Amino acid sequence: MEENIHISVVSPVYMAERIVAELVKQIKESLKSITDHYEIILVNDASPDKSWGSIQEECKKDKRVKGIDLSRNFGQHYAITAGLSLSKGEWIVVMDCDLQDRPDEIPNLYNKAQEGWDSVFAQRVERNDTFLKRNFSKSFYKLFSYLTDTKQDATVANFGIYHRKVVDAILEMKDQIRFFPTMVQWVGFHKYYLPVKHSERREGKSSYNLKSLFRLALNTIIAFSDKPLRLTVKIGFYLASISFFVGLIYLILYLSGQIKVLGFTSLFISIWFLAGVVITILGIIGLYLGKMFEKVKDRPVFITNETINV
């Protein structure tokens, strides 16, 4: 770690060509009250617009602004990993590029961290997101909390400040599936939740749609929890128990002469129901096997195309 860099600010960039200059300007303004020894790391996640060109312009103006261009679109949390891997500061701020995460909250996060906290999370008490995104996030975190037997907070995302030891611990995690909020929770250390203001999106729309949010949720649950597998065992046990008692009842009714003609409807329904359960269980197991296959291949979680000032 370079001694002269006190704070690193890491921001994944996607569809933000008109926001980058303002983002850098506001970050610099906020860091003035803390230190002049900082770096701003902007990671272009293969954005289809001219975001990389905007990053290049900012890098030319100030060597403290550093650019990373990924070879393809890996995803927001992989871009964060790329930025963290090249950060050199004692403290690292992670924030989104759309200015919903307000740079003027960085001094507040930093001051709280100086009280002895290793991670200070920005807690968005009032979120300026779409109705769909807010409610999907709440539902996901409730489900995720249940499946992982941990406490997850829907008001907390990537924005926060983290000590170097926290970031190093995250980088040591070799998970192929990267989800920064959960990873920083998993590594532990002393944590604090600081309420912050959350702004409206400055421009454009979120790159997350219902399909991508569902895929992210599914991958994250599979990566951080084996409870779905354990639930299938319970389901199988309960179904077997119910089937046994129902079968016993029907046997008693048959022996007592109360059933004259054996029906095929109940048999038909039972077969299709159990077949659906079996296929669902096999599907869940298959998902876990697929993720194990990805892990065995041990491919890099991101590939860098170009870097500036790094």
Side-chain angles (χ1 to χ4, degrees), residues 44 68-72 74 82 299-306:
N44 178 45
I68 305 172
D69 184 35
L70 300 185
S71 64
R72 66 170 178 83
F74 284 88
R299 290 176 178 173
V301 295
F302 66 88
I303 299 174
T304 301
N305 175 49
E306 183 182 351

Side-chain angles (χ1 to χ4, degrees), residues 35-49:
T35 180
D36 290 326
H37 303 296
Y38 62 81
E39 61 180 358
I40 302 172
I41 303 175
L42 304 175
V43 186
N44 178 45
D45 193 19
S47 181
D49 64 354

Side-chain angles (χ1 to χ4, degrees), residues 100-142:
Q100 285 192 281
D101 294 339
R102 297 168 57 108
D104 59 4
E105 293 285 1
I106 293 177
N108 297 329
L109 294 169
Y110 176 80
N111 291 335
K112 178 57 67 173
Q114 301 314 299
E115 296 178 9
W117 303 99
D118 300 313
S119 299
V120 179
F121 301 95
Q123 193 173 40
R124 304 163 296 175
V125 179
E126 295 184 7
R127 292 183 58 174
N128 283 297
D129 287 320
T130 63
F131 175 83
L132 174 64
K133 190 172 182 180
R134 286 198 309 270
N135 284 276
F136 185 90
S137 179
K138 288 180 181 178
S139 300
F140 164 70
Y141 279 104
K142 284 182 180 179

